Amino acid sequence: MRRLSVLLCALFLVATAVPAAADPSPDPVPGERPPLGITWATGSPYCVYQYSEDVVKAAVDQLVASGLRDAGYEYVMLGDCWQAAQRDAEGRLTARASFPSGVPALVDYVHSRGLKIGFYSGTGAKTCSGQAAGSLDHEDLDAQTFAAWGADYLRYDTCYSVNGDAPARVKKMADALKGTGRPITLEVDDYDRNQSPWLWARAAGAQVWRTYTNSTFNFGYSAGSLDRQYGLAGYTGPGGWNMPGSFTFSYLDTAERQAKLGLWAVLNAPLVTDMALAADVTLPVAELNNPDIIAVDRDWAGVGGHKVRDTGWTEVWTKPMSDGSAVLVLFNRGELAAPISTSVADAGLPAAPGYRVRDLWTGDETETTGALGGTVGRHAATVLRVWPVSAAAAPRTSLTVELPDSVPPSQPVTATVRFTNTGSTPVTGAHLQLTAPAEWQFDGAAEATTPAVEPGATWAFPVTLHPVSTATQPFKMPVSVAYATAQGTRTTTASAEAPLLLAPDQPSTNGLLNTQPWISTENGLGPVERDSTDNGHPLTINGKTDTHGGLGAHAPSVVRYYLGGKCRQFTATVGVDDRGPDGTLGFRVLGDGVELEATGNMRHGDAAQHLVVPVTGVQVLALAVDDASDGSACDWGDWLSPYISC
């Protein structure tokens, strides 16, 4: 605690050396642009995260000193539990004891630093926490109170709405705020009722609405929120913005932060950092203060960002920009680096002799004739802005490696490195350097050189490795190519990665696969479960269970079994689990990477399908659940009675 106090004190001393800005004027049109700022305790149901007047002031000073205020992060939004549980004798909201100077003094402090302030309330008599007063039957009084204080923003939860009356309650507060004459942006926080506020919040008078009920503090929940945004692009735009969730950065590494910010920017989402945790008192300025990302977020060309490609673990999202350019996000949600293919066609750009490309995280500028793919690391994203104009820049290149889906730990592995010149001028003197994974060594040379790679050409280099002993770690082979262009020398890197096939003894007799060991699993949300799904819930399809149990998966998912060529047939009954009433997914059975059977897309309520799949000679059986290319939210799929005949 002493350490935190010292840090806050230090931040205060540094920040107070910065000249104070003039009081900001309220937005003439609330919600004209997606808001940027900070908050506390987003979605905390029990006021677990306590914050005080001093904490808020220290964060305010940090916004100023860091340059984030000048970059556009202008809102300081108090979370639930800033207010006391009871109103005062006149029925007005009052602050908790942790705000000893009072609300007017805090508002003045925030405004004096050139920032805007937001408060929190709810449609019920209590807020979501159950420990603070809400605004039910006090809407006019609370709106007048907020306006008198100088509020600029109100976060409004719907936890205690009943019988579908949330739109009416929100409209009552929106009308009350409008009646004060002070422009105050209204955000609808629908945490636990799943009331689809994007369908009605704008009409009710709100300017921001949450499109994901959970907090998005870690990568898994952030990816889950992204899945919920599929199909919502038409609900966002000036005057009203989809809010997929705030940022709690201590749970994310640098690559994950950059991926999330890039995706949120393409969605025109509010960029709001949650500072509730002690580990989050220091803002991640390096990521937040990226002018290219902020420019994407606040640019509105009439169409929201949307997904154009989905292979399960990799996705491509795009957004048109008002100057005729477009942004592409190559997103890898998987646990291993992966190649992602895309082009200017995915961005909807017109035909042109050449295209200028800017990597928004590295600042690197290149030119291409159309192709834009490459290798993207785990939990990472490449964010590109592309203009349909020729540029005097180095040609864009891509470096990828073709590998088997899984690597046996005791057998040789052959990979093919591909270095492609997608620009309009040649590259020369390309030198390839390979680094062997731990426990592996090359059968031949680990480097090679080619004189030139012409525009549109690919240099392919096969390489074979064998394990020094039985490998025990996933296969990860770093690759780099250094080359020369008319603009100077450059280097591109990639990583060839594949899961290690740690094969147990293959089944020697008939049996249920949910009772036998697997080689490896990948799952969209949580682990693959035996005989249950979603943290222990029974496997149920259309109200029916199976006494033999099965595997509970969440798209995108793959479960691999080693058969060793000893089995004849696989059978299972598959369908969308009742845990996912909005689920849409498909099941596939693969043998040694070749698709043997597929159900096509299935929805919740569809009849279960019974699969009978010959597997004679198959070494590795893979059971895959795909997300039907519409995001994986609610996509729980069941493999009931997965039986192997050997």
Side-chain angles (χ1 to χ4, degrees), residues 326-344:
V327 176
L328 283 157
V329 180
L330 287 62
F331 175 49
N332 176 15
R333 67 171 71 206
E335 295 300 321
L336 299 171
I340 300 179
S341 297
T342 188
S343 69
V344 296

Side-chain angles (χ1 to χ4, degrees), residues 41-119:
T42 300
S44 170
Y46 307 112
C47 296
V48 172
Y49 305 128
Q50 298 297 325
Y51 58 100
S52 65
E53 176 182 308
D54 290 341
V55 168
V56 174
K57 288 182 176 180
V60 165
D61 295 337
Q62 189 182 164
L63 277 178
V64 177
S66 66
L68 288 176
R69 177 198 64 187
D70 297 334
Y73 292 84
E74 58 184 347
Y75 284 100
V76 178
M77 308 173 188
L78 304 187
D80 199 356
C81 304
W82 68 270
Q83 69 273 56
Q86 303 297 327
R87 295 171 176 268
D88 67 13
E90 297 179 346
R92 298 183 183 275
L93 294 172
T94 60
R96 293 194 170 209
S98 54
F99 295 85
S101 299
V103 171
L106 181 63
V107 173
D108 288 346
Y109 189 87
V110 172
H111 283 172
S112 73
R113 307 297 282 161
L115 295 163
K116 300 173 181 177
I117 190 167
F119 293 89

Side-chain angles (χ1 to χ4, degrees), residues 347-418:
L349 289 171
Y355 300 84
R356 173 191 169 200
V357 184
R358 179 175 175 82
D359 186 311
L360 300 191
W361 283 113
T362 67
D364 184 43
E365 294 229 2
T366 54
E367 60 87 19
T368 183
T369 57
L372 294 163
T375 299
V376 181
R378 71 174 289 277
H379 294 189
T382 299
V383 185
L384 304 173
R385 187 167 179 180
V386 187
W387 290 262
V389 295
S390 298
R396 181 170 178 82
T397 62
S398 68
L399 181 60
T400 59
V401 184
E402 294 178 0
L403 270 175
D405 288 339
S406 55
V407 173
S410 57
Q411 299 176 25
V413 172
T414 298
T416 301
V417 181
R418 297 187 183 278

